[in-house]
Amino acid sequence: YSTKTKHHKSINFFLTYGIIKKLIKKIKPDVIHAHYLGTFSFLASLTGFHPFIGTVWGSDIDMFGTRNYFTKYMLKHILNKADFIETPDKTTKEFLVRKYKIKEQKVDFPYWGIKTTEFEPLKIKKSIDIAYLRKSSEKYSTDTFVQAMNLIKKEIPEFNSILIRKEGYAKVENMIKKYNLDKNINTLKWANHNEMPLLLNSSLIYVDSFHRNVPGGGMGITAMEAMSCGLPVVLANNPGVSDYVKHDY
């Protein structure tokens, strides 16, 4: 089902609420599960339907919990109306309990996982030294990755890596030219999920420069898939990462 309309955002907000109410009446769901505690989760919480479950991702409590008074209210309303809150890690649970005074038994962190039978080590040639599978952007701190590649080049001039380069992100593109890394950082087109096991198994190391101080979602699913394929991973020290990765293992 789609809730998209062609109206202005403010009008769309109220129209979407009506659409959700009609869908609930039509589908008669056993439960409503809101992934990412944002606008649609807020609309779902306004319907009064229960059981109502919310999944925190991290960027949602970072953005909605700090942007303005209304978004702060929206987040608190969702958390209060939810019968259960799922978080990606223990750190996020502790943060929600402490900051928003949520009852501890209302929040839990069923560890996220991946399909290990699909992502398993393969005996194939390692043609990629360093795999970086985030799209080039400021949000993912890709400039930190490029700076690191420049340091590696000084020690190992002939190494190679892959990056989903975004031409519109001038900062990273300028850095690649400045450090003369065009031959070291190969452009990767967006890969389909079924191509990921082979891509990861073709790599020696998986790197992710994404960093934020607010708890939640600090560990990307791709990093788990890389580990399942037997790759060592280099990750930012985000809150909650230690639930999945042991430093200097």
Side-chain angles (χ1 to χ4, degrees):
Y1 295 93
S2 174
T3 59
K4 291 183 178 180
T5 72
K6 297 180 180 180
H7 300 281
H8 187 271
K9 286 184 179 180
S10 57
I11 299 175
N12 185 50
F13 183 87
F14 294 102
L15 290 175
T16 302
Y17 173 74
I19 293 171
I20 292 174
K21 288 282 286 186
K22 288 181 180 178
L23 283 174
I24 290 174
K25 186 177 181 180
K26 179 180 180 180
I27 300 171
K28 295 180 175 61
D30 295 316
V31 62
I32 287 184
H33 188 175
H35 277 270
Y36 196 87
L37 304 191
T39 304
F40 285 99
S41 299
F42 178 64
L43 291 172
S45 71
L46 291 176
T47 65
F49 185 93
H50 294 278
F52 173 50
I53 298 174
T55 293
V56 171
W57 285 80
S59 58
D60 42 9
I61 56 176
D62 185 13
M63 181 172 63
F64 279 80
T66 59
R67 180 182 288 178
N68 56 52
Y69 175 81
F70 184 60
T71 58
K72 289 179 182 178
Y73 169 78
M74 288 172 62
L75 180 59
K76 289 180 180 179
H77 187 273
I78 297 167
L79 293 171
N80 289 331
K81 290 296 181 181
D83 299 293
F84 182 78
I85 301 293
E86 176 192 4
T87 71
D89 48 59
K90 183 179 179 181
T91 306
T92 309
K93 174 181 178 178
E94 293 172 345
F95 174 79
L96 292 175
V97 170
R98 181 179 68 255
K99 183 174 178 62
Y100 295 99
K101 312 301 179 186
I102 300 174
K103 293 181 179 179
E104 192 169 349
Q105 60 268 30
K106 183 177 172 177
V107 191
D108 207 351
F109 53 100
Y111 284 109
W112 292 1
I114 51 95
K115 193 173 181 180
T116 55
T117 53
E118 183 178 354
F119 290 89
E120 56 185 358
L122 301 176
K123 293 182 179 179
I124 61 174
K125 182 182 178 181
K126 304 292 184 180
S127 57
I128 303 166
D129 295 326
I130 302 170
Y132 181 91
L133 299 178
R134 295 274 194 185
K135 185 181 290 186
S136 176
S137 72
E138 183 177 1
K139 178 173 68 173
Y140 297 134
S141 304
T142 310
D143 58 323
T144 300
F145 168 75
V146 176
Q147 288 173 353
M149 296 305 98
N150 183 46
L151 294 176
I152 290 174
K153 185 178 180 180
K154 292 176 181 179
E155 301 294 329
I156 312 172
E158 301 301 323
F159 85 97
N160 72 81
S161 63
I162 54 174
L163 167 66
I164 303 173
R165 292 170 66 171
K166 186 178 178 182
E167 292 183 4
Y169 189 28
K171 182 178 180 179
V172 160
E173 291 303 308
N174 290 337
M175 288 175 66
I176 292 174
K177 291 179 181 177
K178 176 184 176 182
Y179 298 139
N180 195 25
L181 288 168
D182 274 308
K183 292 183 179 180
N184 301 98
I185 300 179
N186 299 311
T187 301
L188 175 70
K189 293 183 178 179
W190 193 261
N192 293 322
H193 189 260
N194 59 0
E195 298 175 298
M196 291 296 289
L198 183 61
L199 182 62
L200 288 169
N201 272 286
S202 300
S203 307
L204 287 174
I205 302 171
Y206 175 79
V207 174
D208 188 357
S209 58
F210 172 60
H211 177 263
R212 66 163 166 252
N213 293 319
V214 176
M219 177 74 176
I221 294 296
T222 309
M224 297 182 190
E225 294 170 344
M227 288 191 292
S228 185
C229 291
L231 273 68
V233 296
V234 180
L235 309 175
N237 188 22
N238 295 322
V241 165
S242 60
D243 288 349
Y244 296 91
V245 178
K246 184 176 180 181
H247 178 61
D248 201 21
Y249 179 69

